[in-house]
Amino acid sequence: MLIFPKYSRIVFVGDSITDAGRDRTAFPGGWGYGNGYVNALHNLLTAVYPDRALCTINSGVSGNDIVEMAERWQRDVIDLNPDYVSVMIGVNDAWRYFDGPLWQARLNTVDEFERIYDDLLDRTRREAPNLKGLIVMRPFMFEPNPADQMRAKIEEFAAASRRVAERHDAIFVDTQAAVDHWLTQLHGCLVSQDRVHPYERGAMIIARSWCQSVGFDWNRTDFDD
């Protein structure tokens, strides 16, 4: 059963995978969801649960690591008065380890990442008056080889995100499990050019894993009274 009651406001926050080209001029929850998994989820929730009148808000910002996301948390999460907050962060924190000197001047350790993540979810519990639940989506990569250097680094940050989810009683979305299952059948080049940023079909893999984690009923026919 879908966890979201009628009129729930669901804020999605993260990096470019969440942002996905969203319209920054859009009124939150009104339009401009981008071309990624948030747009797919907005359309799925609207199509299958029209009676719930759910409000989906995209607060992703391209390029963000956890430090940059934390700096805007008040404006882009708390001030939007969410009922639910869905977070996916960590791929840029891992990617910086493989970037050039400009980025490597400031690297976030896994311990720092986990501490900031804990602080953000603690703060959300305290300061978002209508909060009913948290959703943590782990960072992922369209790379089937777990020994790949970048994927191995992402796994470190993903393990931290799982620990954070457990401590804060958040729903944990194992996006990598969904990606790995898909990669047993088709090559990653069909869903992502750089193994990180998904095309729309890749975004649907991520959206489907989120749906499965929140009780989305794909076969629903009856609406609530």
Side-chain angles (χ1 to χ4, degrees):
M1 180 178 294
L2 190 74
I3 65 171
F4 310 117
K6 194 167 186 176
Y7 303 126
S8 291
R9 291 169 64 85
I10 310 164
V11 174
F12 294 87
V13 62
D15 51 40
S16 56
I17 300 170
T18 300
D19 183 326
R22 69 181 175 94
D23 183 354
R24 295 288 202 286
T25 69
F27 184 82
W31 71 92
Y33 297 97
N35 56 12
Y37 77 91
V38 177
N39 185 56
L41 289 173
H42 169 71
N43 290 327
L44 285 167
L45 291 168
T46 301
V48 180
Y49 292 88
D51 50 315
R52 298 284 179 94
L54 301 173
C55 177
T56 51
I57 300 173
N58 188 343
S59 283
V61 172
S62 294
N64 269 190
D65 61 14
I66 193 138
V67 172
E68 292 160 323
M69 187 179 74
E71 290 171 349
R72 60 185 180 85
W73 196 260
Q74 181 68 43
R75 180 189 72 239
D76 288 349
V77 178
I78 303 297
D79 288 350
L80 295 176
N81 195 23
D83 294 291
Y84 295 86
V85 177
S86 180
V87 191
M88 180 161 59
I89 197 71
V91 69
N92 287 324
D93 300 83
W95 204 335
R96 297 295 178 259
Y97 284 80
F98 305 94
D99 274 334
L102 176 65
W103 293 111
Q104 297 207 354
R106 194 206 79 197
L107 296 175
N108 300 326
T109 67
V110 174
D111 287 344
E112 290 168 335
F113 174 88
E114 191 165 346
R115 175 183 57 78
I116 295 170
Y117 216 149
D118 271 326
D119 289 346
L120 289 175
L121 297 195
D122 275 335
R123 179 181 171 191
T124 306
R125 291 280 191 197
R126 293 193 312 268
E127 299 181 13
N130 294 322
L131 189 76
K132 300 178 180 67
L134 297 165
I135 301 164
V136 171
M137 305 173 69
R138 59 152 286 169
F140 64 89
M141 189 174 181
F142 290 102
E143 169 54 61
N145 178 13
D148 175 89
Q149 285 188 326
M150 186 167 163
R151 165 143 183 196
K153 180 58 70 174
I154 288 176
E155 291 296 331
E156 295 178 25
F157 287 96
S161 70
R162 183 187 289 271
R163 292 191 294 269
V164 169
E166 290 173 351
R167 281 194 293 272
H168 294 271
D169 194 28
I171 292 172
F172 183 75
V173 182
D174 193 345
T175 54
Q176 189 67 57
V179 168
D180 286 344
H181 180 70
W182 189 89
L183 289 173
T184 64
Q185 303 299 312
L186 295 170
H187 195 277
C189 68
L190 296 175
V191 287
S192 175
Q193 183 178 26
D194 59 6
R195 303 184 298 168
V196 169
H197 297 94
Y199 304 140
E200 289 187 1
R201 70 183 70 177
M204 185 57 75
I205 298 170
I206 305 309
R208 182 172 182 261
S209 67
W210 188 92
C211 285
Q212 290 173 320
S213 300
V214 302
F216 188 96
D217 183 0
W218 298 86
N219 298 312
R220 184 175 190 248
T221 56
D222 295 330
F223 296 145
D224 297 335
D225 295 331

